[in-house]
Amino acid sequence: MASEDSTLISLVEKASEGDRRSVGRLLTLVERGGDSAEQVAEATHTLSGKSHVIGITGAPGAGKSTLTACLARDLAVSEYKPAVLAVDPSSPLTGGAILGDRVRMEEASEAGAFIRSMATRGHAGGLALAVPGMVRVFDAFGFNPIIIETVGVGQVEVDVASAADTVVVVVTSGWGDAVQANKAGLLEIADLFVVNKADRPGASDARRDLELMIDLSQLTGQAVRRPEIVMTTATEGEGLDEFKKAIFEHKELLFEGEQISIRRSKRWKAEVRSRLDYLLSEVATESIENLEEEKGSSPGSVARKIAKNLLKKDELR
Amino acid sequence: MNKKENAPIRIVLAKLGLDGHDRGLKVVARMLRDAGMEVVYLGLRQTTEMVVTAVEQEDADAVGISMHNAGHLTLAPRIVKALEDAGLDVPVVVGGIVPESDLEAMAEAGVAGVLGPGSSAEDVATCVREAVAARGE
């Protein structure tokens, strides 16, 4: 254990001196979870909290990677030191994954952006545990802003993206009608909408549908601030300046008032919650592993009995 | 550190320079994915620097380079050296067209494995796994 501790300390030291390989190693430790992840979390927690975190989500093929790549490149060539965490799905059958985001992020990488690809690795909740920790590593070692890019089809991915300071939802023309917009729950989390592939027919319809849905949210009082809508054709570079401007405007709005601390304390709470969920589910899994069927007892009554016993115990590490 | 054994192998796949035959690389990417690995796919027209950067940032366990333009005797040693110079201890596996008479030179240059045409999905996965395991010892 002593050697593990010293490895960790030297990794943190080297990472603070700007060694990108050590940052890469620390990200891996967080991603794998377990004790080392906890140690990295402790070591980076007090160093973090300075960076602006941008979440970019939307359906597959909407243009998230291209937009992220353009944004990261532009930021890297100006005075920023951006990092990208690009999440792609793991195969549910084999656990393997093809992480292809670097293909589009070549220019961003050459301009100096730190790009890390990440697979969802199947286990529910695992992503929700690893992503905040990985963002914290970037934050602790001076990367700013940090862009999280996820496929926004699953609830977990939406949760992950919404753990950002500024949440961008990317849609395209023909992405589905207004009802889909409501159903997906994307409206509640978006600070900024991008209608990408705006050169295609139907882009203005997509915009109109969004406007309508935002109107409705305002009507029910659910949304506090009206999210902006930006039209882009990312592959042609159209609308990218507006996109960047909208992100920075949102950032200013956040940092100028109370907003940022409210948002971050919500985020902190959400992270405590997902860690708690994880710990509890581990204990739950253990306690039913050797459970024998009790004929005549309902599953609900057995679960309540187990829960009562667990709550008295000190089984969490 | 702990849990290393349980984590999937992460491998960076790329083609160097102007060699444009990427079908093989795509097939290999799928084979490795189906063998449970995480493939960081870089694709065509990569430089040694880009591969080194990717290995660093992705903390990859291995590198796979596909070559179909007879450049392997120049490029394979170059990438092995570039990784070494960067202090990255990761094995390099080469796939594509490598004549049998060059195999010895490839091994001498530090290439961990060579996969020719007709290699099965199992051959490919085993080669990568063994190359990674050999470094881990």
Side-chain angles (χ1 to χ4, degrees), chain A residues 255-291:
Chain A
F255 281 83
E256 163 178 290
E258 293 275 286
Q259 277 293 324
I260 190 73
S261 56
I262 296 171
R263 217 169 246 242
R264 290 206 169 157
S265 84
K266 257 193 199 165
R267 201 162 99 194
W268 182 83
K269 239 178 170 171
E271 199 185 337
V272 173
R273 174 66 201 261
S274 53
R275 301 199 86 72
L276 183 60
D277 283 349
Y278 175 74
L279 291 172
L280 293 176
S281 77
E282 270 203 326
V283 180
T285 309
E286 268 170 41
S287 61
I288 59 163
E289 229 156 54
N290 301 313
L291 189 68

Side-chain angles (χ1 to χ4, degrees), chain A residues 30-298:
Chain A
V30 175
E31 189 180 18
R32 283 187 188 144
D35 295 344
S36 319
E38 296 298 331
Q39 287 160 11
V40 178
E42 292 306 320
T44 52
H45 184 74
T46 48
L47 299 171
S48 64
K50 299 176 287 280
S51 304
H52 178 217
V53 184
I54 304 164
I56 299 190
T57 191
K64 296 178 297 296
S65 296
T66 310
L67 279 165
T68 305
C70 294
L71 183 65
R73 180 202 57 207
D74 285 5
L75 291 167
V77 295
S78 49
E79 76 266 41
Y80 296 93
K81 191 177 149 194
V84 176
L85 187 60
V87 187
D88 272 330
S90 298
S91 153
L93 297 179
T94 67
I98 295 180
L99 310 169
D101 284 300
R102 291 192 89 92
V103 174
R104 280 187 205 84
M105 304 212 186
E106 234 164 57
E107 283 182 51
S109 172
E110 280 182 316
F114 193 115
I115 313 229
R116 177 64 174 233
S117 319
M118 181 186 184
T120 51
R121 297 203 174 166
H123 45 104
L127 203 58
L129 290 184
V131 168
M134 290 168 87
V135 166
R136 203 172 291 127
V137 169
F138 280 132
D139 191 342
F141 301 113
F143 291 92
N144 190 13
I146 299 154
I147 309 169
I148 312 168
E149 184 215 324
T150 85
V151 176
V153 284
Q155 190 54 48
V156 178
E157 286 86 349
V158 171
D159 286 350
V160 166
S162 62
D165 298 323
T166 300
V167 179
V168 181
V169 173
V170 185
V171 301
T172 54
S173 63
W175 68 300
D177 58 15
V179 179
Q180 294 290 341
N182 255 349
K183 208 163 64 181
L186 291 174
L187 275 171
E188 290 99 278
I189 64 160
D191 297 304
L192 170 66
F193 282 102
V194 174
V195 179
N196 192 33
K197 307 187 189 183
D199 55 340
R200 296 213 181 156
S204 53
D205 294 343
R207 184 187 184 117
R208 189 202 55 214
D209 284 344
L210 279 176
E211 298 274 13
L212 188 71
M213 282 300 119
I214 296 169
D215 288 344
L216 287 177
S217 311
Q218 302 257 303
L219 205 66
T220 59
Q222 197 182 49
V224 187
R225 176 186 161 271
R226 192 180 175 90
E228 207 176 318
I229 303 176
V230 179
M231 311 288 280
T232 60
T233 309
T235 49
E236 305 290 323
E238 299 271 340
L240 290 176
D241 286 341
E242 288 83 351
F243 173 50
K244 233 181 348 178
K245 199 171 138 243
I247 286 179
F248 277 98
E249 273 172 8
H250 184 257
K251 181 192 167 188
E252 265 167 43
L253 198 82
L254 278 178
F255 281 83
E256 163 178 290
E258 293 275 286
Q259 277 293 324
I260 190 73
S261 56
I262 296 171
R263 217 169 246 242
R264 290 206 169 157
S265 84
K266 257 193 199 165
R267 201 162 99 194
W268 182 83
K269 239 178 170 171
E271 199 185 337
V272 173
R273 174 66 201 261
S274 53
R275 301 199 86 72
L276 183 60
D277 283 349
Y278 175 74
L279 291 172
L280 293 176
S281 77
E282 270 203 326
V283 180
T285 309
E286 268 170 41
S287 61
I288 59 163
E289 229 156 54
N290 301 313
L291 189 68
E292 304 256 342
E293 188 185 345
E294 292 169 35
K295 296 242 158 65
S297 304
S298 78

